[in-house]
Amino acid sequence: MPQARTRTGVRKRKGVQTSSRPAVRSSRGTARAKEATGLKEPEPSGWKACVHHYVQLVNQAEIDRFTPESEGIVTDVDHLSRYQRKLSRLREQELLRGVLPLRSETSAELLRISESESLAEATALIELKIKRTMQQLGRTYTEDRRERERLWLSLDGESYRINRVEPLVMERRPRYSMSDSFASQLSAEQQVEMEDKPTSIPFINYDVLSRFKHGRAGIRYRRDLAAAYADRWWNEGNPAYETFDVNCTNYVSQCLFAGHAPMNYTGKRDSGWWYRERSAGREMWSYSWAVAGALQLFLSGSRQSGLRATVVDSADQLDLGDVIIYDWSGDNRFQHSTIVTAFDAAGMPLVNANTVPSRHRYWDYKDSYAWTERTKYRFFHIADEF
């Protein structure tokens, strides 16, 4: 029988009004432990009780893949329709994959709270932390992901209702807006740079890989190290690097570098693939290091040495440490990057990402509000040797 467990809590953040109330759990095992010690965890009240109930509904939907009866808690018809469409395509996808959800655990942190003086209205920014365990062809695997939503709540009689839900679809927000003219120049310029200049020795972060041997040719891509780095930093930023609000490509570049991909330092933002930290408030890294569209162009370029890749036709041709870049609208503006870190029982890629932290997530991203019917993918098989 599939199991579901939920938890809500409040994280203390500097400059944000929060509560120190402990997390609320609905796990049966936790309840038995509380009874044995004579302790009772306080139930959430007011609008927090409404948020807690909402998290329970989300958690149940992660198992059932149907929109649960909300008892009028959510009155946002547009969001309910959007959510139902997402669940419907996931239900179909998992049936085709032969995947059976076994367990779901969902918790929520209140990141930001705004309340009216009368407490009749409140706005809450929450982060949903979802962990799902699935069974496929007799094997199980676990997927983690983080999603943020902004909830608008209002008092209706004696209880609160959620009258608006806004998912924060960070995968659709590129860090930089690149013009078509820049994009068209970038590919050609990068190819010229790669042909004219030898691969450089990285300037920073030797401590990230203490055993890394910095050579100029014949470097083997350590796919295992790239995947291990991805699993280590999927839900936070490595302090050895800058962490961006939209961090997916910066994270993937770090993973490639952890796998011994050599940087190509040109000193120009619009060429090469390099990172040299921030200096005197100046950003010192290439667009290709931090921007999905630029990384897509860089990996698509033809070169004889350094970091390079082959575009393949489908996800099942990818190996550990390979890269997928996503064009949500099908207009050749790529906005999101992931790295392959595992495979399901059918041999299809599971990926990690960092803007919306994800670990061992199914590669097609149909569980994201960013996905559309026009979504296109670019599959890059990273060279085995640089």
Side-chain angles (χ1 to χ4, degrees):
M1 174 71 71
Q3 299 178 347
R5 187 173 78 179
T6 60
R7 176 168 61 87
T8 57
V10 177
R11 179 172 67 189
K12 293 183 178 180
R13 292 168 61 94
K14 185 176 180 181
V16 179
Q17 181 182 358
T18 60
S19 166
S20 60
R21 176 173 295 172
V24 178
R25 302 174 187 270
S26 60
S27 166
R28 291 183 180 179
T30 303
R32 285 197 295 269
K34 294 294 182 183
E35 291 173 4
T37 58
L39 298 175
K40 283 191 176 181
E41 212 168 51
E43 289 293 328
S45 59
W47 61 263
K48 292 180 184 177
C50 184
V51 173
H52 178 70
H53 194 171
Y54 174 73
V55 174
Q56 290 179 316
L57 295 174
V58 170
N59 191 58
Q60 194 60 49
E62 289 292 331
I63 285 289
D64 297 338
R65 291 308 197 194
F66 286 96
T67 306
E69 293 294 331
S70 65
E71 302 172 5
I73 281 187
V74 181
T75 62
D76 185 342
V77 176
D78 290 339
H79 176 69
L80 290 174
S81 175
R82 176 172 57 222
Y83 191 40
Q84 179 56 52
R85 290 195 300 272
K86 184 175 84 163
L87 293 175
S88 177
R89 65 176 179 260
L90 287 174
R91 189 167 62 249
E92 180 181 5
Q93 178 222 71
E94 290 178 350
L95 284 171
L96 291 173
R97 294 174 57 207
V99 168
L100 174 66
L102 295 180
R103 180 182 179 87
S104 178
E105 298 178 38
T106 302
S107 64
E109 290 189 33
L110 302 177
L111 303 180
R112 189 172 298 118
I113 304 163
S114 177
E115 299 172 314
S116 65
E117 291 186 7
S118 65
L119 300 183
E121 296 180 331
T123 304
L125 175 63
I126 67 172
E127 182 172 77
L128 295 166
K129 300 181 178 182
I130 303 167
K131 175 177 284 190
R132 301 179 69 234
T133 301
M134 280 83 76
Q135 185 181 73
Q136 182 188 36
L137 302 178
R139 292 173 51 192
T140 62
Y141 71 93
T142 300
E143 166 198 273
D144 295 272
R145 71 181 193 273
R146 307 282 192 263
E147 296 179 352
R148 292 189 178 187
E149 296 181 346
R150 186 174 285 110
L151 310 178
W152 281 261
L153 303 100
S154 60
L155 189 60
D156 182 10
E158 296 183 355
S159 58
Y160 283 83
R161 299 285 183 265
I162 299 173
N163 48 47
R164 183 179 171 192
V165 180
E166 178 191 17
L168 273 62
V169 190
M170 298 299 293
E171 302 102 323
R172 293 188 67 89
R173 303 178 184 180
R175 174 168 165 73
Y176 298 95
S177 177
M178 296 191 302
S179 66
D180 291 333
S181 60
F182 170 77
S184 64
Q185 295 169 9
L186 182 61
S187 178
E189 188 169 315
Q190 284 175 332
Q191 292 183 40
V192 170
E193 293 286 353
M194 290 301 295
E195 293 297 330
D196 292 347
K197 295 189 177 184
T199 301
S200 65
I201 298 175
F203 279 76
I204 50 101
N205 297 327
Y206 291 158
D207 57 322
V208 176
L209 288 171
S210 59
R211 297 185 299 277
F212 184 73
K213 304 299 182 184
H214 301 281
R216 292 178 179 270
I219 301 171
R220 182 167 66 91
Y221 183 39
R222 289 292 304 276
R223 299 177 180 279
D224 56 335
L225 293 182
Y229 183 97
D231 279 347
R232 167 62 183 87
W233 296 105
W234 71 274
N235 63 344
E236 60 180 325
N238 183 343
Y241 296 88
E242 289 285 327
T243 299
F244 308 140
D245 289 337
V246 179
N247 202 54
C248 59
T249 305
N250 176 36
Y251 164 76
V252 168
S253 289
Q254 291 175 33
C255 296
L256 293 170
F257 181 57
H260 296 185
M263 292 188 195
N264 174 245
Y265 179 74
T266 66
K268 299 178 182 179
R269 301 288 308 275
D270 57 2
S271 66
W273 177 75
W274 57 274
Y275 179 97
R276 201 181 172 180
E277 72 188 355
R278 188 188 294 270
S279 177
R282 222 177 130 196
E283 297 175 340
M284 300 184 69
W285 48 80
S286 65
Y287 285 116
S288 59
W289 183 277
V291 184
L295 178 61
Q296 186 273 141
L297 288 167
F298 182 82
L299 293 178
S300 298
S302 174
R303 56 189 63 85
Q304 300 301 315
S305 63
L307 173 60
R308 59 194 188 281
T310 302
V311 178
V312 297
D313 295 328
S314 59
D316 59 2
Q317 296 176 273
L318 298 176
D319 291 331
L320 198 71
D322 284 343
V323 172
I324 305 176
I325 303 184
Y326 300 72
D327 167 14
W328 304 119
S329 302
D331 58 1
N332 293 319
R333 295 178 182 269
F334 291 83
Q335 296 170 292
H336 186 54
S337 308
T338 67
I339 185 166
V340 177
T341 53
F343 297 89
D344 68 8
M348 297 302 292
L350 306 176
V351 299
N352 284 26
N354 191 248
T355 296
V356 177
S358 305
R359 176 180 175 272
H360 298 180
R361 186 174 186 169
Y362 193 68
W363 68 270
D364 68 5
Y365 260 67
K366 288 187 177 181
D367 58 354
S368 170
Y369 287 114
W371 189 89
T372 72
E373 295 287 348
R374 299 182 300 278
T375 294
K376 294 180 180 178
Y377 309 92
R378 207 80 194 270
F379 306 110
F380 290 100
H381 174 65
I382 305 300
D384 292 321
E385 191 172 282
F386 306 119

